[in-house]
Amino acid sequence: MTNGLKAKHQRLILVVIALVALIGAGLLAAWALRNQANYFYLPGQMIAEPPEVGQAVRLGGMVQQDSIRNMPDGVTVSFIVTDKDSAVVPVRFTGILPDLFVEGSGVVAEGRLAADGTFVADNLLAKHDENYVPRELQEMDQHKADETLVAQGPAT
Amino acid sequence: MHGFANPKRFLALASWLTPLLLVSGLLLTSVALFWGVTSVPPDQLMGETVRILFIHVPAAWLGMGGWTAIALSSLVFLVWRHPLASLAARAAAVPGAAFTAMCLITGSIWGRPTWGTWWVWDGRLTSMLVLLFLYFGYIALSQAVARDGGSSRIPAIFGLVGAINIPIINRSVVWWNSLHQPPSITMGKSAIDPEFLVPLGVAVLGFSLLFGGVVLARMRALLAEIQTEARLRRKAGGAS
């Protein structure tokens, strides 16, 4: 009412100010959480800021091609996890592998860093990427399949 | 817009729009799900479980869309004081919560064979669970206000404040490393093969129409409830 403003305009301004403050607070909180809220370390992050030896953490990245080795005991596998900056962390895991665990695909390992720099995993989770490709396109390598999809995919 | 804020005009519109939305939504959803289950090829990595996509993705989008509707209606109610806006927000809460729950349940069922786990506390899953709890809080609050009397502004403010979670859900897979994959569909680009994308589009449209129909039906029911109560009160007042 003051300054000739209509009541509804006053309310609109008030709500907009409240929303701006709220979004600002939310963004600040999300920004502060940017490292704490990560579900896993990338190999590069694990090398740059290694967690304490024996501390329970998760490591996530791609399984390097031709890196999966079966140990002589038959239930232990070792492989290398890498990221797009090609930092690498060797991983050792004893147990049953998930179906989607293949070379060149994403993985999240739960476990701890050993003193020798190997990551000893208690549990493996397979990570799916954002690509959905039918079996018929399987013969193409992933890169080519991506290109096909981008070329065919309608704008959504 | 001001025209539809008139309950009489709204009811005239809703009386034919509600069945239209419900029937067309049901039809499109059945077509999309039948299509998705019977004639879509298996995914190269996930195999047959890819069919969960056609329920999981529309449910996730509508769970978030439901709260967006609550927030927008709350804004309209707070600024322009349209009572119908407050009613629309109340009506969107239960279907929104139902779709959010559906998203979490189908996601969990999908996660077990694909990731090897039913549940993890990563950014996407946790923020979606927070959305479900926000819905529960909103439903309890708006029902308490409607039953015991009180300012409808309280749930409206809750609806606006809760909207901060929506961009967090949307960005959670980009800001933080998460087990859930980054978005497949972004502005102008899709990493989903058309064989999956087309039935997914039909499913999203069908579920959205159903959502709209349920919201309209609930708004009509809430209006009828208010009218009945007012009539009873008048009668009781006249008798005494």
Side-chain angles (χ1 to χ4, degrees), chain A:
Chain A
M1 303 291 167
T2 48
N3 305 333
L5 270 180
K6 275 194 196 163
K8 66 177 173 190
H9 291 144
Q10 247 179 358
R11 289 198 295 267
L12 183 60
I13 292 166
L14 209 66
V15 168
V16 166
I17 291 172
L19 276 183
V20 168
L22 189 69
I23 289 166
L27 283 179
L28 280 177
W31 181 248
L33 272 172
R34 73 198 182 284
N35 285 325
Q36 278 74 21
N38 279 339
Y39 185 64
F40 52 76
Y41 283 86
L42 289 165
Q45 293 167 337
M46 188 161 277
I47 289 164
E49 295 172 58
E52 277 177 52
V53 168
Q55 188 195 345
V57 291
R58 297 190 191 89
L59 167 72
M62 290 299 215
V63 182
Q64 200 170 58
Q65 290 293 343
D66 304 320
S67 74
I68 300 181
R69 300 271 178 279
N70 288 303
M71 295 287 134
D73 67 357
V75 287
T76 303
V77 289
S78 77
F79 54 94
I80 290 169
V81 170
T82 181
D83 58 22
K84 59 178 183 294
D85 306 319
S86 56
V88 296
V89 173
V91 180
R92 201 168 63 236
F93 171 70
T94 306
I96 298 163
L97 298 165
D99 290 350
L100 258 70
F101 179 79
V102 284
E103 289 175 344
S105 158
V107 71
V108 176
E110 299 178 329
R112 41 198 55 76
L113 204 57
D116 63 350
T118 308
F119 190 84
V120 182
D122 310 319
N123 193 19
L124 283 188
L125 300 174
K127 193 167 162 14
H128 185 251
D129 63 12
E130 65 272 31
N131 297 304
Y132 292 81
V133 185
R135 287 238 164 95
E136 290 90 271
L137 293 177
Q138 206 176 7
E139 290 76 39
M140 294 192 221
D141 63 278
Q142 189 60 51
H143 185 68
K144 226 169 130 189
D146 283 351
E147 279 179 353
T148 318
L149 292 185
V150 172
Q152 291 178 347
T156 316

Side-chain angles (χ1 to χ4, degrees), chain B residues 177-193:
Chain B
N177 300 329
S178 58
L179 186 60
H180 192 285
Q181 68 274 13
S184 296
I185 300 172
T186 46
M187 288 289 179
K189 183 163 136 268
S190 158
I192 301 182
D193 188 88

Side-chain angles (χ1 to χ4, degrees), chain B residues 167-232:
Chain B
I168 293 177
I169 296 175
N170 182 265
R171 296 283 92 191
S172 56
V173 288
V174 180
W175 285 343
W176 306 310
N177 300 329
S178 58
L179 186 60
H180 192 285
Q181 68 274 13
S184 296
I185 300 172
T186 46
M187 288 289 179
K189 183 163 136 268
S190 158
I192 301 182
D193 188 88
E195 293 231 47
F196 302 130
L197 192 62
V198 178
L200 177 61
V202 179
V204 167
L205 186 65
F207 276 116
S208 304
L209 291 173
L210 264 184
F211 188 95
V214 170
V215 170
L216 284 185
R218 280 176 52 79
M219 283 178 76
R220 288 173 72 192
L222 288 173
L223 270 175
E225 215 172 87
I226 291 168
Q227 277 172 347
T228 318
E229 263 170 38
R231 210 166 291 164
L232 282 175

